[in-house]
Amino acid sequence: MSTRSTKSRFVVLSGGVGGAKLALGLSKVVPARDLLIVANTGDDFTHLGLHVSPDIDTLIYTLGGVSNPATGWGRVGETGAFMEALGAIGGETWFFLGDKDLALHVERTLRLTNGESLSAVTADLARRFGVKAAIVPMSNDPVPTMVKTTRGTLAFQHYFVRERCRPRVTGFRFQNVARAKPEPRFMQALNDPKLAAVIIGPSNPFISIEPILALPRVRKRLDRVPVIAVSPIVGGQAIKGPAAKMMRELGIRASALAVAERYASFCDGFVIDEADVALAGPIAKLGLRVLIERTVMKTLDDRVRLGRAVVAFAKRLSRKGRP
Ligand code: FO1
């Protein structure tokens, strides 16, 4: 059998909405046994006494077919009776927990308190939502993202939701990351001889992907496996969220080229949108192979088409080694 045909497995690194859309597309073209989806947990926090894992939940709801299409996070057909009742008695309502979503946070918190790992809870919840591909947290250890801003350092959801990303960002800190262990299946998948490629979803590089890369041994391992990234920036704008704003505040051009530069030391292939065709040459000069595709995923067809294109791209890329 040729080397190429034995390499059939994919690891996807995902933040919230964009990564989850690509993961859904990939789940339609890669058999479930060959796909491992690794969720950023830097956004996790304890709120109202509950363990909330936004990126894991966005993945579960998206792949489970129950995500809210308007927001990308939370559940479709959600109601807000709990929030309304909480507000009426003076509780904190800046972070919206829908009634159905709440059930998941309560159940997860209970199981974590009873000693189950975040991996075990995630696997069981995903199964109950009918998700076939494996979703794992990047680590079972807490690695909360702290956002450094000109108004001081803020816990991630305080920056993102409570302050609506308004403070000017000066940097990030992934608390406890040096002591955290990557989730065992994640590490196993990175060391699997059948690994075809690691796919970095179109997620925010600073707050969704870099917390995963900062875990011990992960970044080093990427030097030895094919890596493909999909740009989260299209035409100088973030598809969703504050990535472009953060780049500008950090003195980095908001462009797909700047993301490619950030990933160039470990990335082999970079997927850009048709709108950024002019950047193909400069990105290729970084030593990356470039795929030009429609990367803005509005429909399920868009997600599947992009998933298929990324898999085909991965198969075309030779084993690790710059062209
Ligand atoms: N994002 C918001 O902008 N406002 C919210 O009130 C909010 C609540 C929320 C509840 C559960 C959940 O899983 C996600 C939620 N998000 C909310 C999204 C979340 O803060 C971010 O999308 C991610 O952390 C960034 O990937």
Side-chain angles (χ1 to χ4, degrees):
M1 231 194 294
S2 76
T3 316
R4 180 176 288 198
S5 64
T6 61
K7 294 190 181 290
S8 56
R9 299 195 174 145
F10 293 87
V11 169
V12 189
L13 309 187
S14 179
V17 181
K21 286 180 180 177
L22 180 62
L24 174 62
L26 288 165
S27 75
K28 305 285 183 193
V29 296
V30 176
R33 65 176 180 280
D34 288 337
L35 187 60
L36 184 78
I37 304 163
V38 179
N40 165 48
T41 54
D43 299 9
D44 289 24
F45 74 138
T46 301
H47 186 58
L48 308 175
L50 302 171
H51 183 107
V52 183
S53 291
D55 290 354
I56 289 177
D57 295 349
T58 297
L59 281 161
I60 291 178
Y61 293 157
T62 302
L63 274 83
V66 297
S67 67
N68 180 339
T71 54
W73 53 266
R75 290 182 63 163
V76 68
E78 188 56 281
T79 51
F82 167 71
M83 277 283 115
E84 206 178 303
L86 184 66
I89 54 170
E92 275 185 51
T93 55
W94 59 268
F95 193 81
F96 181 83
L97 293 178
D99 298 331
K100 292 183 197 164
D101 190 34
L102 183 62
L104 189 141
H105 306 306
V106 169
E107 181 62 16
R108 171 191 291 124
T109 305
L110 191 68
R111 293 197 199 178
L112 291 175
T113 308
N114 288 340
E116 277 187 59
S117 67
L118 186 58
S119 305
V121 180
T122 302
D124 185 57
L125 292 173
R127 184 182 61 77
R128 288 170 190 272
F129 278 86
V131 179
K132 299 278 188 295
I135 299 173
V136 296
M138 65 186 199
S139 174
N140 281 313
D141 303 316
V143 183
T145 295
M146 305 301 289
V147 185
K148 297 182 200 168
T149 79
T150 49
R151 292 193 226 158
T153 300
L154 296 169
F156 179 78
Q157 296 296 348
H158 288 182
Y159 163 79
F160 196 88
V161 177
R162 198 188 65 195
E163 304 302 324
R164 297 185 197 163
C165 306
R166 280 178 301 226
R168 202 181 163 80
V169 165
T170 57
F172 305 91
R173 183 155 50 87
F174 311 128
Q175 247 175 9
N176 190 46
V177 73
R179 284 189 301 275
K181 283 192 274 308
E183 203 278 343
R185 286 182 73 182
F186 175 25
M187 241 21 241
Q188 220 171 21
L190 290 184
N191 288 309
D192 187 339
K194 289 191 174 163
L195 180 67
V198 173
I199 297 167
I200 299 182
S203 299
N204 187 311
F206 310 104
I207 53 175
S208 298
I209 301 303
E210 289 177 6
I212 307 177
L213 303 182
L215 287 163
R217 294 181 287 133
V218 170
R219 170 61 193 78
K220 258 214 168 90
R221 189 64 208 152
L222 295 192
D223 287 336
R224 309 185 64 84
V225 296
V227 180
I228 291 174
V230 180
S231 177
I233 303 284
V234 172
Q237 305 284 330
I239 299 172
K240 191 172 180 3
K245 176 181 180 281
M246 287 174 172
M247 291 174 96
R248 287 190 297 270
E249 289 170 355
L250 293 168
I252 303 168
R253 269 181 339 279
S255 76
L257 173 59
V259 179
E261 283 166 351
R262 213 166 166 90
Y263 289 165
S265 65
F266 57 85
C267 205
D268 302 276
F270 199 75
V271 185
I272 57 172
D273 191 78
E274 291 168 349
D276 288 320
V277 65
L279 300 177
I283 294 172
K285 281 208 183 106
L286 299 170
L288 305 181
R289 302 268 283 275
V290 181
L291 177 70
I292 302 163
E293 265 295 326
R294 268 191 4 245
T295 61
V296 183
M297 295 172 278
K298 295 216 166 89
T299 65
L300 177 60
D301 273 1
D302 292 338
R303 287 156 213 184
V304 176
R305 191 185 25 75
L306 184 59
R308 189 172 288 124
V310 170
V311 166
F313 186 40
K315 288 185 176 159
R316 283 200 301 279
L317 286 179
S318 52
R319 273 202 54 75
K320 191 81 183 178
R322 297 279 187 268

